[in-house]
C-alpha cells in the first residue's frame, strides 16, 4: 500500500489501541506503541529504564509541568551525548520523535500514543486519529482489563487520561482532547471497534484515493 | 433515505457551513441554520428580534457567563407563557432546542450550529460533526468573505470562534472544541470541502449501513 502512517491517541477504555492493532493487521502493516521506547533506547544508547522513568515522572506529577511548559515543547533537535542535558526528559522525547519520523519516512504503519500526531504534523502522508467514547462504554471496556469497579475504576480512567493529557501538554504545549490536533476524531462507543477500523479505512480512501491499499 | 440528521459545528473559515450545504444538496435533504430562529419564533410566539438579541448578548459578553453557568445549561423543559422567565435566554434556547428535536424526529436534514449536537446527543439517528482547519486555511477562506486582512482578520476569526465556544459553554456546560462532543471531527484544510462531504457520507454508510441513502 501507499506509505501512509496512522497515528492514534485514545481515551483509556475507548479501544483505540485495539482499533490500531486491528487496522494494522487488516492492512498487513507494522503496529508500534511501547516498542518505540526500545527503538529510541537503541538509537540513543540511553538505557530503556530512563525512558520509562521519564514517563513515570509525568504520571506521578513529579515533572514541574506548568513552570517548564515552554521549555519542554518539542522542537525536533537532538542533543549531543557530551551535553549535560543528554538524558533530560526533553532529549529522551526527541529521540522517540526521531524514531517516529524515521518510521514515517520509511514505511506505512500504525503508531499509538507518544504524541506521534504532533511530531508528524507537517507530514502529508499521516492520518492522525483520536478515539473517544461515552463514560459508560469506557467503564465497560476498562472493567475487562482492570480488577477495580465503580468509583475506583472511574477514578482510574480519569487519572490515566489526565496523565495522557499532561504528557501531551508537556511535550507539545497543546490540549490533548482538542479536535484541532487531529485529522479524524471518532466515537467508538457509537461505532464499535470494527466500524472504527472501517471508518478509518474509508477516510484513507477519500483522502488518498481508492488505490491507497494497492501494492 | 433513512431518517439521519447531521449536525455541524465549525470553526469560522473552515467551510463547515459550505460542507453542510453541499451535503444537504447532494442528499436532497433540508438544510437549517438561521432558519431555526424563525421556526422557534413561530412556535413560541416570541418575536424573532428577541432571539437575535439573546445571541448578541453572548457575542458581546453581556451575559454573565461564568456566574450563571449552572443555571443556564439546557435541560429541555419549556416555560409557560405566564411565567416571568418566558422570554429569558434559557427559554429562547429551549424553544430552539424543541424545534431541533421535532426536526430530528420528522425527517433527515443537516443542521448547522445552535448546539444541535448537544440537544440531540441521545438520538441514535444523529451524526454530530465538527469541522476545523489550520489557521492559514482559515485565513484564506475568511478573506473571501471579509474585507479585513492580516492581524485584523486573524482577530475576527478568533473572536467569532470565541463567541461560538462561549455560546456552547453557556447552554451546554461543555467545551465546544472538545473531540468528546462529536461523533466525527474532520480537518477541512487537509481534505478540502468536497472530500469532507465524501468522508461524512462514507461515515454514514459505515455507521448505518450501505443502504442509508436509499429511498
Amino acid at each position: 500500500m501507499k506509505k501512509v502512517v496512522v497515528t492514534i491517541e485514545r481515551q483509556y477504555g475507548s479501544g483505540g489501541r485495539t482499533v490500531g492493532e486491528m487496522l494494522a493487521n487488516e492492512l498487513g502493516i507494522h503496529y508500534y506503541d511501547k516498542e518505540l521506547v526500545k527503538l529510541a533506547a537503541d538509537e540513543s544508547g540511553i538505557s530503556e529504564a530512563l525512558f520509562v522513568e521519564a514517563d513515570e515522572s509525568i504520571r506521578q506529577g513529579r515533572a514541574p509541568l506548568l513552570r517548564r511548559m515552554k521549555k519542554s515543547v518539542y522542537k525536533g533537535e537532538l542533543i549531543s551525548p557530551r551535553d549535560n542535558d543528554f538524558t533530560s526528559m526533553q532529549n529522551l522525547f526527541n529521540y522517540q520523535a526521531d524514531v517516529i519520523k524515521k518510521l514515517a519516512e520509511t514505511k506505512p504503519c500504525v503508531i499509538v500514543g507518544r504524541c506521534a500526531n504532533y511530531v508528524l504534523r507537517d507530514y502529508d502522508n499521516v492520518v492522525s486519529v483520536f478515539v473517544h467514547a461515552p463514560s459508560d462504554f469506557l467503564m465497560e471496556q476498562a472493567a475487562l482489563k482492570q480488577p477495580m469497579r465503580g468509583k475506583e475504576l472511574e477514578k482510574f480512567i480519569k487519572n490515566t487520561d489526565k496523565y495522557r493529557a499532561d504528557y501531551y501538554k508537556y511535550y507539545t504545549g497543546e490540549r490533548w482532547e482538542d479536535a484541532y490536533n487531529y485529522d479524524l476524531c471518532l466515537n467508538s462507543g457509537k461505532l464499535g471497534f470494527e466500524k472504527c477500523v472501517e471508518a478509518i479505512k474509508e477516510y484513507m480512501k477519500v483522502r488518498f484515493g481508492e488505490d491507497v491499499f494497492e501494492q
Side-chain angles (χ1 to χ4, degrees), chain A:
Chain A
M1 64 176 267
K2 284 189 192 169
K3 204 165 65 193
V4 173
V5 176
V6 178
T7 71
I8 297 184
E9 291 285 335
R10 74 292 179 210
Q11 275 192 291
Y12 187 84
S14 71
R17 173 197 297 259
T18 308
V19 167
E21 283 172 332
M22 287 166 67
L23 179 69
N25 279 339
E26 277 193 34
L27 299 181
I29 61 180
H30 211 103
Y31 166 89
Y32 295 95
D33 57 7
K34 290 209 172 129
E35 197 184 339
L36 282 171
V37 171
K38 201 191 164 318
L39 293 175
D42 288 349
E43 179 177 300
S44 62
I46 300 170
S47 138
E48 211 175 316
L50 275 181
F51 283 89
V52 175
E53 195 182 307
D55 287 2
E56 274 306 307
S57 76
I58 291 183
R59 186 185 288 272
Q60 295 170 15
R62 274 190 276 129
L65 281 180
L66 293 172
R67 272 181 292 127
R68 290 174 64 182
M69 201 64 76
K70 277 201 175 157
K71 274 171 73 182
S72 58
V73 167
Y74 171 66
K75 298 284 191 306
E77 65 291 339
L78 294 174
I79 294 170
S80 146
R82 282 184 297 269
D83 196 294
N84 278 340
D85 275 347
F86 184 61
T87 59
S88 68
M89 286 173 63
Q90 283 67 30
N91 205 38
L92 296 177
F93 184 84
N94 291 351
Y95 267 107
Q96 271 182 47
D98 203 49
V99 165
I100 288 170
K101 284 181 175 177
K102 281 177 182 156
L103 287 175
E105 285 157 16
T106 318
K107 57 181 180 181
C109 60
V110 175
I111 303 175
V112 172
R114 310 269 136 203
C115 310
N117 64 320
Y118 186 84
V119 171
L120 301 176
R121 66 196 180 285
D122 295 327
Y123 283 59
D124 289 335
N125 62 327
V126 172
V127 179
S128 57
V129 182
F130 183 79
V131 184
H132 61 93
S135 57
D136 52 347
F137 185 89
L138 299 176
M139 288 286 281
E140 208 178 278
Q141 290 298 317
L144 301 175
K145 303 206 170 174
Q146 299 295 335
M148 309 159 240
R149 292 293 176 272
K151 288 277 173 216
E152 196 193 4
L153 185 57
E154 205 176 341
K155 201 176 159 191
F156 176 81
I157 294 172
K158 207 179 142 194
N159 285 344
T160 306
D161 283 350
K162 187 183 175 307
Y163 159 65
R164 289 176 183 176
D166 283 350
Y167 182 94
Y168 198 84
K169 185 83 177 173
Y170 188 74
Y171 290 117
T172 73
E174 302 276 333
R175 286 184 79 247
W176 177 65
E177 56 271 66
D178 270 357
Y180 307 142
N181 295 319
Y182 307 95
D183 299 329
L184 183 66
C185 305
L186 293 172
N187 179 334
S188 61
K190 290 212 182 155
L191 285 182
F193 302 158
E194 279 180 26
K195 287 187 174 182
C196 274
V197 173
E198 222 182 308
I200 296 170
K201 283 165 64 184
E202 290 303 328
Y203 173 92
M204 290 167 77
K205 282 199 249 173
V206 169
R207 174 133 158 237
F208 300 111
E210 286 283 338
D211 61 346
V212 63
F213 303 127
E214 281 170 25
Q215 294 299 326

